[in-house]
Amino acid sequence: MPNYVVDRLIDEYFQDTESSDLYNIIFEVAQYFPEKLHPFASQIDDEYLQELILPGGPDSWVDDLVNKYRQDEDPQHLKALSWFRTDKALDALITLSKAIPEEDLEAVYAYIENSGVFPDSRLASVYFQNYRGYVVARNESPHHMGGSFPHPVPKCPITDTPANRILTLDKSNLNLDIESQYNPSFFWYESGYPPNCIYVQFTENGVKGLMTPMTDGEVGTDLIPGKLALKLEEYPLKYGRAGTATSGFSNHQVGGYPVWMRFQRFKRCPVCGQGMKFLVTIDSGMTPFGKLGFNGILYGFWCDPCAVSCTYQQNDDDFE
Ligand SMILES: [Zn+2]
């Protein structure tokens, strides 16, 4: 969307903040162009919009939130700080983490990880280049989805349902600093017995299941409707998106900051014990080739030194 269009939409919204059509538009603008709304922050009363415009927000907002937290110790202020992803907000979270009630500590560690670093090692927890993904035919992108896979894949330990190859990223076609010699692949199955995570390690002998049984070579094809691929477009979203994810809208993403349905810490690598970097979001919903066969959102993590991938699902059911 060109800049002048965004500016005009913002103008129109502030002339009529009661219009629900304009609200839906400004909601999109706030997610994808939060900085455009920073100058209008004092005119925004809606709490969802207030949340969405936090990425990259000015340092004075961070100071305000820190002061508010010091006054009332409401953890919502800490959550708000996690959506800035600026150095100022990250420093504030790290400083506050040293003097907060024990019961808030896990939440703050999650906020720090979601701001771009692991709280223990201070290493990066995300890949800073952000891509949006679109499901396309196999010949339109090197990042393959579905179809066959040249090695055994994970399977359900109860029903033997084989996993689908959800996505293989071709790292040579990505501007991410993946040093491993292996292309990260992510696997999932739907068997009625949802795994918490599916971990695999890539080795010179193929794919090794970690805490999961593997098939003899059989690969599931029920979740990805065909031999497909994910086309990736670099999308400049320096400070990521704020707010809570809703599944089923084909919001596929590689790199950048995760948008969670439910805020949480990043997965740990079962081989080295370190935090795994967030790498992929594959949303459920329609594709031009049919519906994806899983619910919720799949989040993919990667430990580059160990060449371990983790696929993790969040679902609407989790809220029941
Ligand atoms: Zn590791």
Side-chain angles (χ1 to χ4, degrees):
M1 211 185 312
N3 265 324
Y4 73 91
V5 177
V6 177
D7 291 337
R8 205 182 63 213
L9 292 169
I10 291 172
D11 267 357
E12 285 178 17
Y13 171 72
F14 284 111
Q15 282 165 28
D16 180 10
T17 55
E18 300 299 310
S19 156
S20 60
D21 287 347
L22 289 171
Y23 180 80
N24 290 336
I25 291 167
I26 210 72
F27 199 85
E28 292 289 311
V29 169
Q31 281 192 73
Y32 292 100
F33 306 91
E35 72 290 351
K36 287 260 182 204
L37 285 164
H38 290 167
F40 303 94
S42 63
Q43 298 173 54
I44 296 175
D45 299 323
D46 180 82
E47 61 180 304
Y48 296 106
L49 291 180
Q50 285 173 348
E51 196 172 272
L52 290 178
I53 67 169
L54 295 176
D59 291 354
S60 61
W61 296 5
V62 174
D63 289 331
D64 287 348
L65 283 164
V66 170
N67 289 333
K68 282 184 190 161
Y69 180 75
R70 291 210 160 112
Q71 279 160 24
D72 62 16
E73 294 198 346
D74 180 347
Q76 284 302 319
H77 303 316
L78 301 173
K79 191 174 190 179
L81 285 171
S82 78
W83 278 318
F84 283 73
R85 289 120 179 189
T86 58
D87 290 346
K88 172 84 175 174
L90 181 57
D91 287 346
L93 281 168
I94 289 171
T95 304
L96 289 171
S97 73
K98 292 167 184 155
I100 57 162
E102 181 84 29
E103 66 264 27
D104 290 340
L105 207 51
E106 274 299 296
V108 173
Y109 287 157
Y111 299 151
I112 292 171
E113 278 171 8
N114 281 278
S115 300
V117 299
F118 290 108
D120 41 359
S121 63
R122 304 285 166 89
L123 295 172
S125 61
V126 300
Y127 293 96
F128 291 102
Q129 178 61 54
N130 181 81
Y131 297 86
R132 286 180 83 165
Y134 304 89
V135 178
V136 294
R138 175 60 64 87
N139 60 3
E140 289 181 64
S141 167
H143 311 292
H144 293 176
M145 300 179 80
S148 59
F149 192 75
H151 303 289
V153 300
K155 65 177 181 178
C156 174
I158 297 157
T159 62
D160 287 340
T161 307
N164 288 231
R165 182 264 301 276
I166 299 296
L167 174 66
T168 298
L169 290 174
D170 177 357
K171 67 190 177 66
S172 63
N173 276 289
L174 283 171
N175 184 19
L176 302 175
D177 55 346
I178 292 176
E179 289 176 10
S180 165
Q181 58 176 303
Y182 301 104
N183 284 326
S185 288
F186 300 90
F187 300 94
W188 198 251
Y189 54 77
E190 291 284 340
S191 68
Y193 300 91
N196 180 20
C197 291
I198 297 179
Y199 290 103
V200 294
Q201 184 171 36
F202 300 83
T203 72
E204 49 194 35
N205 302 318
V207 180
K208 182 179 164 191
L210 301 173
M211 301 174 291
T212 174
M214 302 292 276
T215 65
D216 297 332
E218 196 190 349
V219 180
T221 54
D222 54 324
L223 302 184
I224 304 288
K227 285 184 186 174
L228 304 177
L230 193 68
K231 186 177 171 183
L232 296 176
E233 275 181 17
E234 284 198 27
Y235 191 83
L237 205 55
K238 185 175 174 194
Y239 301 104
R241 279 193 290 147
T244 305
T246 311
S247 67
F249 291 94
S250 309
N251 280 320
H252 314 301
Q253 178 186 336
V254 172
Y257 297 90
V259 186
W260 293 107
M261 299 179 75
R262 192 181 65 255
F263 233 106
Q264 71 160 69
R265 294 197 69 175
F266 289 10
K267 294 295 159 187
R268 262 52 201 170
C269 171
V271 175
C272 70
Q274 298 294 309
M276 302 178 77
K277 280 180 155 180
F278 166 73
L279 180 54
V280 168
T281 299
I282 299 295
D283 192 1
S284 54
M286 278 309 288
T287 76
F289 311 91
K291 199 170 183 291
L292 294 168
F294 57 89
N295 294 317
I297 298 178
L298 300 180
Y299 295 90
F301 295 84
W302 179 245
C303 181
D304 205 26
C306 302
V308 169
S309 80
C310 164
T311 314
Y312 168 74
Q313 184 184 45
Q314 285 193 344
N315 236 308
D316 294 321
D317 304 344
D318 302 342
F319 298 93
E320 284 167 7

